[in-house]
Amino acid sequence: MGGILHIVSGASAAGTLKAGLQGTCGGSVAAFPCGLRYGALFRDFGDAELRRYAVEVERLTGYVGAFDPLRAFVGIDFGGYDKVVVWHGGNVDETLMYYMVCALAADVPLYEVCVGEVLPRLKYPVRHPSLAVCSADDAAWLHGRMRAVSAERRASAAGQWNIWRHSDAALRIPSEDGIAEVPEDYFDGNIVAACSAEYRKAARVVGGVLCTADFAVGDGFLHRRIVALLREGRLSARAEEVPERLRCAIREAGIAPLVAGGVDVSAMPLFRVMMPKLVGDI
């Protein structure tokens, strides 16, 4: 087989890298499909653990069908490539993915691209840089800074994965010491604080929390937490008037029906939220 295999976290990063590698002999790109910040991690790479993890990711984020992509990724024949290159930055997903690949691809020529080196090129401050926030030009520039992973660093990273794969936490976020384990409801206070005495679009609330939380989690996770808060009575929902074509698109996307308080909350454009204790004041 031969050639170069680039490993990235997520479809967005894969798209950026493919655009950045156009016109070069850069190789192929494989995206790890899940954010490793979510859920009790898989203890090993067997089907039972991967399936359990896929169910946990769906519960926490709404991402359906993770098992097959997970299984395909861990089944990659890394030894068939001349080089395996891991692109990783400072966020939790990419850091844990780097540790995992160092454990998976233990006997292949391993290289890395440290995405944090792009910071001076970015037009806006990013606390935890990732390939997903880079442009195709940034990716092309970073490609020229690829370097080999030493045996010592590879062993250290693989050792970190052997520790983290036993994490039972529902959520892992960046911390001053690296990565912190926190409970599933850690950002619920941020969500409630982003609501007000008027109904606000759910997507607007999620956007505000993403900024205050420094994008430590994704919008799918926050959407699921809003649903949980609605079911606990800590928030109130009202249906949003949307075009039928949008509802059709949501159904065609395979998004499962989700109802809270009699309101369809299966997708964020479909509803607004507010704090229920203020409803009587309006």
Side-chain angles (χ1 to χ4, degrees), residues 198-202 230 236-241 260-261 263-265 268-274 282:
E198 297 180 354
Y199 280 105
R200 290 183 175 177
K201 292 182 178 181
L230 289 169
S236 177
R238 185 183 75 186
E240 181 82 307
E241 292 186 10
V263 177
D264 184 355
V265 294
M268 285 187 287
L270 298 179
F271 67 104
R272 293 176 176 242
V273 291
M274 68 174 292
I282 296 177

Side-chain angles (χ1 to χ4, degrees), residues 160-184:
Q160 285 295 311
W161 174 252
N162 285 331
I163 293 171
W164 279 108
R165 66 188 173 94
H166 296 288
S167 172
D168 283 326
L171 187 62
R172 286 163 290 278
I173 63 173
S175 72
E176 294 300 325
D177 298 322
I179 299 174
E181 297 177 308
V182 296
E184 186 175 339

Side-chain angles (χ1 to χ4, degrees), residues 64-253:
V64 179
F67 172 68
D68 286 338
L70 277 169
R71 190 185 192 198
F73 185 93
V74 303
I76 292 173
D77 178 16
F78 295 103
Y81 292 90
D82 299 323
K83 288 182 179 179
V84 174
V85 185
V86 188
W87 293 63
H88 62 99
N91 71 12
V92 173
D93 292 341
E94 291 184 355
T95 298
L96 291 177
M97 183 196 69
Y98 168 67
Y99 294 160
M100 180 191 66
V101 173
C102 285
L104 262 177
D107 301 317
V108 304
L110 191 64
Y111 293 74
E112 67 180 332
V113 175
C114 296
V115 179
E117 294 181 16
V118 81
L119 277 174
R121 293 173 54 92
L122 299 179
K123 297 178 181 179
Y124 47 88
V126 177
R127 186 177 178 188
H128 305 291
S130 69
L131 189 56
V133 304
C134 295
S135 67
D137 287 341
D138 292 332
W141 180 83
L142 284 166
H143 180 253
R145 305 178 75 82
M146 182 194 313
R147 58 177 176 261
V149 180
S150 69
E152 292 78 14
R153 292 192 68 243
R154 184 192 306 217
S156 175
Q160 285 295 311
W161 174 252
N162 285 331
I163 293 171
W164 279 108
R165 66 188 173 94
H166 296 288
S167 172
D168 283 326
L171 187 62
R172 286 163 290 278
I173 63 173
S175 72
E176 294 300 325
D177 298 322
I179 299 174
E181 297 177 308
V182 296
E184 186 175 339
D185 62 359
Y186 185 79
F187 290 105
D188 285 6
N190 298 59
I191 294 171
V192 173
C195 297
S196 71
E198 297 180 354
Y199 280 105
R200 290 183 175 177
K201 292 182 178 181
R204 180 183 173 189
V205 171
V206 166
V209 176
L210 286 174
C211 292
T212 59
D214 204 15
F215 295 86
V217 289
D219 55 359
F221 174 82
L222 293 176
H223 174 208
R224 288 295 168 127
R225 290 311 307 160
I226 286 177
V227 173
L229 290 169
L230 289 169
R231 289 175 170 169
E232 293 170 8
R234 294 176 62 188
L235 293 178
S236 177
R238 185 183 75 186
E240 181 82 307
E241 292 186 10
V242 297
E244 182 58 28
R245 65 178 181 276
L246 176 58
R247 293 187 183 276
C248 289
I250 291 170
R251 289 194 295 268
E252 291 171 359

